[in-house]
Amino acid sequence: MATQTLSPLGILEAACTDPYAEAQKARAKGQKVAGITCSYTPQELFHAAGYLPVRIMAHQGGTPRADEIIQSYACSFARSVLDRALSGAFDFADLVVFAHTCDTMQNLADLWKGNRPQQALLIVSGPTLIEGEPARTYYRKEMDRVRVRLEEIVGPIPDAAIADSIRLYAQQRALMQRLYAIRRLRPELLSAADMHNAVTAAFLMPVEEHLQALRGLVEELEGDNIEDSATLPRVLVAGSVCQDRGFSEAIEEAGCLLVDDDLCMGSRAFELPDASGDDPMDALVQIYLTRTPCPAFHRPGFDPGAHLLERVRRAKADGVVYLLTKFCDPWAFDYPHMKNTLESEGIPTLLLEVEQNLPVPAQLRTRIEAFAEMLESKAGQ
């Protein structure tokens, strides 16, 4: 079936069904591809350099190759993507980009470099303390270093090209925020699978094509006049990376409405602030240092519990499912405070420890169903 005959949702679903088809297509046409491992990678800069930025993701299955060279207590995301890399699954990428967020990802970058020397690798290292003039000065130098490295490969990258890419990604974020707003208001219009596809496709498709499909989807949903009659418990999902849509679908199948998320590869990636000024490199610094911080970074005065509580209230969520990737220390450190903040306000939480390379276990499905029943009972009191 030709792409142009697909609906907007069909286009987004197709991108997720064959995640690296667009990357392989771009490579076949002579375009360079940058495999990125984190939303702290300044995609705008790589796009301006002529690369197609594509998210490197975990896969379902064992990790026998990776288990030989990385610690068993490394998170499943790191083990899975390393295993795929060793099997050649990411050979379409001319350049693999790591953002230094945690020790595991830094270790992964070193292992990748040592075991895949034929593949170019670049580390973008942000400051751990992301506020203040020293942080801005450091990160500007880091952005300049990355730009010089790219220019060594592709030639000069004009400021105008960077500014154009910044505007393009800002449009994508704005549309994704509208989609999230629709979901909070009328979650029955978009299934868990459809929302997952819209989010994930943003990391796999050329931004121009994703924008076009997204515009069509948002226009369809905003033009829907069907009256909202949903009365099911409303749930928000929080945590780091969740690339398997099975967790979202399990929540929906348990009898809940998944109305919002606070995920790294979710709403957090689309709530980057807009930047002003004439210097696009300064704009990149502003965008990535003033975003909602990942638990691997520190901003004085930022309260992760208060942040999550505000999001829960905005979504009018009845409860929160917290997906904690096993051995992900930064998110594990934040969870107790988040839990206490929410439950002190009467908002129930469910902690699920997950492995990124495994499907949803039956035990977790049972716990989600019990949580849904509890929310429904609480609502009826």
Side-chain angles (χ1 to χ4, degrees), residues 315-377:
K316 298 179 181 178
D318 300 305
V320 172
V321 174
Y322 195 95
L323 300 177
L324 177 63
T325 300
K326 192 174 182 180
F327 301 125
C328 181
D329 290 341
W331 281 94
F333 289 144
D334 274 359
Y335 171 71
H337 175 63
M338 288 178 166
K339 177 178 183 293
N340 292 337
T341 300
L342 294 176
E343 295 191 347
S344 68
E345 296 294 324
I347 300 167
T349 63
L350 173 65
L351 173 65
L352 299 178
E353 192 174 57
V354 303
E355 296 274 31
Q356 295 291 336
N357 62 320
L358 298 178
V360 185
Q363 181 185 18
L364 262 63
R365 289 183 180 274
T366 301
R367 294 183 60 201
I368 293 170
E369 290 168 0
F371 186 66
E373 291 175 5
M374 183 271 292
L375 291 179
E376 192 169 7
S377 176

Side-chain angles (χ1 to χ4, degrees), residues 272-301:
L272 280 63
D274 292 332
S276 58
D278 297 328
D279 187 335
M281 297 300 288
D282 278 345
L284 287 178
V285 171
Q286 183 179 343
I287 290 169
Y288 285 93
L289 287 189
T290 59
R291 62 175 290 185
T292 301
C294 164
F297 299 105
H298 176 63
R299 176 183 295 151

